[in-house]
Amino acid sequence: MEYVWAGIIFWYLIIFVYKTKTGSPTVPSKDTQIARFLKYVKRGDNVADLGCGDGRVLFSTAKKGASGEGWEIEPLPYLYAVIRAMRKKNSKIKIHFADMWKADLSKFDVVFVYQLTRYAPRFVRKCQKEMKRGALVIANTYPLDGLYLLKKDGELYVYKIR
Ligand SMILES: C[S@@+](CC[C@H](N)C(=O)[O-])C[C@H]1O[C@@H](n2cnc3c(N)ncnc32)[C@H](O)[C@@H]1O
């Protein structure tokens, strides 16, 4: 039994260290922030949440008739999101247990991100390289300098790819 616990702790340590190099800790978006975000999502849109946590942002977009994909690297929020998607029988939501930096952003109309500022330059380059013209990038709390800012809406920064 000790080996199992040691294995779990070791695995978590690896993920923790990895996340300090690639993204933020798990802090969920607030309901007010999600409500604001939904103003920018239309029925039929394809939405991505990079580092989707428990999937709350994606489940809300699904209520608006959008489809969505999330990437999450931490096992517990990932499992929670997958179970939620199964219980809701929601085929419009796909959650990947994978590194968000491997996501191909070319097919998304709206990309949501809530990661610390220090990842912004790398993230901006990824958006500029992969995303289609007219697509939106919405960053919670931490700005993404280098993208075209359409609007600051509360704690959200709304960018348009040009
Ligand atoms: C601030 S939380 C935001 C969660 C969710 N997007 C929300 O708004 O409620 C950031 C999430 O990104 C995840 N994360 C950090 N680095 C990641 C990476 N390289 N790949 C996938 N997920 C990552 C963390 O585990 C965490 O759940």
Side-chain angles (χ1 to χ4, degrees):
M1 194 62 190
E2 302 92 72
Y3 292 117
V4 175
W5 281 114
I8 291 172
I9 291 166
F10 182 65
W11 191 28
Y12 255 86
L13 269 177
I14 288 179
I15 289 169
F16 179 79
V17 171
Y18 185 70
K19 277 206 308 190
T20 60
K21 295 193 181 303
T22 65
S24 307
T26 303
V27 179
S29 291
K30 298 182 200 132
D31 289 346
T32 48
Q33 294 166 332
I34 295 176
R36 273 216 170 92
F37 167 71
L38 289 180
K39 292 193 296 185
Y40 303 95
V41 176
K42 303 186 298 296
R43 169 171 280 279
D45 272 353
N46 198 10
V47 178
D49 184 359
L50 299 179
C52 65
D54 63 7
R56 62 183 62 202
V57 173
L58 293 172
F59 291 114
S60 305
T61 62
K63 285 188 202 146
K64 278 201 90 173
S67 51
E69 284 184 52
W71 279 259
E72 178 52 55
I73 207 172
E74 195 168 312
L76 286 182
Y78 163 76
L79 280 176
Y80 187 68
V82 167
I83 290 167
R84 245 173 118 183
M86 277 167 21
R87 284 182 59 185
K88 288 179 191 277
K89 296 192 174 59
N90 200 326
S91 57
K92 285 188 159 205
I93 303 290
K94 243 190 251 167
I95 314 278
H96 306 275
F97 184 41
D99 189 345
M100 65 183 191
W101 295 102
K102 297 204 171 117
D104 172 5
L105 304 183
S106 59
K107 61 182 171 180
F108 294 105
D109 305 293
V110 185
V111 168
F112 180 80
V113 70
Y114 185 10
Q115 303 290 344
L116 298 173
T117 315
R118 65 173 180 269
Y119 307 106
R122 182 178 173 195
F123 189 69
V124 166
R125 286 196 297 277
K126 182 171 173 63
C127 293
Q128 285 168 333
K129 192 170 156 210
E130 297 176 16
M131 288 182 72
K132 58 190 175 193
R133 217 183 261 188
L136 299 180
V137 181
I138 303 187
N140 191 353
T141 309
Y142 303 105
L144 295 169
D145 294 339
L147 292 179
Y148 172 71
L149 181 68
L150 209 56
K151 194 174 177 185
K152 168 117 166 54
D153 189 352
E155 288 144 303
L156 302 185
Y157 296 83
V158 182
Y159 300 93
K160 192 169 191 166
I161 302 295
R162 301 203 291 178

